[in-house]
Amino acid sequence: MDALTLTAAYEIIRQPLGEILPKVSAALAPLIPHVDAAELSTHCAHSPFKALGGTALLTGAELAPLLASGIPGKPWQGRSVIGGRPREAIAVTSHATRRGAVLVLVREDSAAPADEAALAVAQALWDLVSGHFDRFASEAMPGTLARSRAAADTRARVIAELTASHATALSGVLGVLRSRALDDTTARTTATDLAASALIEMRAAQHRDRALAEEPAREAFERLAAELRPMLRHTRVRLDLGAPDSARSLAADVAHSARAIVRALLLIVLEQDSVRRVHVGWQLTEHELRASVRDDGAGALAPCDLGAGTVRDRIEVLGGRLGVDALPGWGTTITAVLPLAAPAAPVEAAHPLTGLGGRELEVLRHLALGHRNRRIGEELHISESTVKFHVANILNKLGVDSRGEAAALFHAAA
């Protein structure tokens, strides 16, 4: 790719997640003119489907078949049902995120096919963006993770309520239309078929949502196992795995966090010279996932050895707990217990920066480096008065009175 394309890619991945799709669309518009863009990204449990809104009635259900049938590295172009009718579209599929992501560009019906060079740029850009998405999902900041879990729980609850409500209404319609008191057989048959199809589609929508927002526990553990084996490949430590004996599914955020927590705990365990064998296992109860790392070392690890950083933050924001059971001469067992249900409320107080917008975070980052307003404006290509406006908003949102206090909060949250 040329320098302009790389610069565009850099600007895209610097954006907050919610602003990336518009930037991708704008970057690709000169190469592949289009009237709308949408994505279906399985990394995001609370909002897997996003669209710019140029095409009326564009839905995630229309993108799901394109994700399922797409071939990573080979963009597809042709006619697909978009916004309720056949439209010209280009679908770019990537497996840079574990369960795939698809970018769909909706085009004018008269649009000429995109050339191979343009499609190659679209594929490379979407792979880069999808890999960026996956890193955010795997290494989510605690405040972001809390909001994601709360949003996913609310969305699932709303879908369940709407499905139950509509199913009740349509079942009533079916009961009436199937009544022998109705004489118009043709009308009754047609209406019955339509209502039955609507019921099936609503149930399918719920299944699709679960497939995007959840991971089967066994598959999630298999992905963890694939990540752990290379960590021990060149050591004398033997890895034993205890896969969950359950067919249940986990919320994607829980699965992401459990894998990240186990990876971090394994690194801590491997720092002990005496360890020759490590057992990693997951157990599912009705309400919890218990992820354990057990070694055969000296049994000298203490809770303080686990640090107070990312591991504890991830566990606490999910409402979980961490336990350490060390037996001198027999080894140590570390257990992370994660609730399967979302916490009642996000823990935001410890992470005030999550309330700032993308541009405000950029200004705060420069402010924390000691830059004055003029330099910040030059770096971000905005006026000095705009910088002052952002600084005033930052101080207000953070509840502080000075730039120094705001900088201290930034460094504490970094």
Side-chain angles (χ1 to χ4, degrees), residues 352-383:
L353 301 190
T354 56
L356 301 182
R359 178 62 82 182
E360 290 167 342
L361 283 172
E362 291 179 338
V363 172
L364 179 57
R365 187 177 296 109
H366 285 283
L367 189 152
L369 292 173
H371 297 167
R372 309 309 300 171
N373 290 351
R374 178 178 294 180
R375 180 172 176 182
I376 295 174
E378 292 172 351
E379 293 283 344
L380 300 180
H381 307 291
I382 57 179
S383 68

Side-chain angles (χ1 to χ4, degrees), residues 6 23-24 32 70 150 156 169 173 180 192 231 233 282 303 309 333 365 387 395:
L6 290 173
K23 295 292 185 180
V24 170
I32 306 175
V173 171
R180 294 182 181 180
T192 299
M231 295 171 61
R233 183 169 297 158
W282 281 7
T333 299
R365 187 177 296 109
V387 174
L395 298 182

Side-chain angles (χ1 to χ4, degrees), residues 76-287:
W76 172 89
Q77 55 182 328
R79 293 184 72 80
S80 180
V81 176
I82 300 292
R85 71 175 181 85
R87 300 288 299 268
E88 289 293 328
I90 291 177
V92 186
T93 305
S94 174
H95 275 182
T97 182
R98 288 181 175 83
R99 292 184 294 157
V102 63
L103 169 70
V104 175
L105 304 176
V106 184
R107 314 190 71 202
E108 296 283 3
D109 290 341
S110 58
D115 60 39
E116 291 298 323
L119 293 177
V121 172
Q123 181 69 62
L125 182 59
W126 187 237
D127 283 339
L128 176 65
V129 169
S130 296
H132 181 60
F133 287 160
D134 190 62
R135 183 179 67 82
F136 264 93
S138 299
E139 303 173 10
M141 288 290 291
T144 303
L145 181 60
R147 292 199 308 275
S148 174
R149 291 285 287 125
D153 183 64
T154 300
R155 184 169 58 89
R157 194 163 56 245
V158 169
I159 289 174
E161 291 171 355
L162 287 174
T163 300
S165 176
H166 292 170
T168 299
L170 289 175
S171 295
V173 171
L174 283 172
V176 172
L177 294 178
R178 287 171 175 164
S179 172
R180 294 182 181 180
L182 296 176
D183 297 327
D184 193 338
T185 304
T186 302
R188 185 167 63 248
T189 301
T190 302
T192 299
D193 289 343
L194 289 173
S197 297
L199 278 171
I200 292 170
E201 175 56 28
M202 283 192 300
R203 289 167 182 160
Q206 190 174 28
H207 291 319
R208 282 194 298 267
D209 181 77
R210 289 190 63 186
L212 290 170
E214 299 181 356
E215 284 189 66
R218 290 171 184 166
E219 292 182 14
F221 187 81
E222 288 173 3
R223 292 191 182 93
L224 171 65
E227 296 168 357
L228 298 185
R229 291 188 182 101
M231 295 171 61
L232 282 77
R233 183 169 297 158
H234 301 294
T235 72
R236 296 193 299 169
V237 178
R238 172 182 168 182
L239 176 64
D240 296 331
L241 298 169
D245 184 18
S246 173
R248 292 180 61 182
S249 291
L250 304 173
D253 288 328
V254 173
H256 283 314
S257 293
R259 286 192 291 264
I261 289 166
V262 169
R263 290 196 303 269
L265 293 178
L266 181 60
L267 288 174
I268 293 172
V269 165
L270 292 179
E271 291 178 0
Q272 305 173 97
D273 293 334
S274 57
V275 172
R276 292 295 176 267
R277 183 174 179 177
V278 175
H279 180 276
V280 172
W282 281 7
Q283 289 184 326
L284 278 169
T285 67
E286 183 179 358
H287 302 293

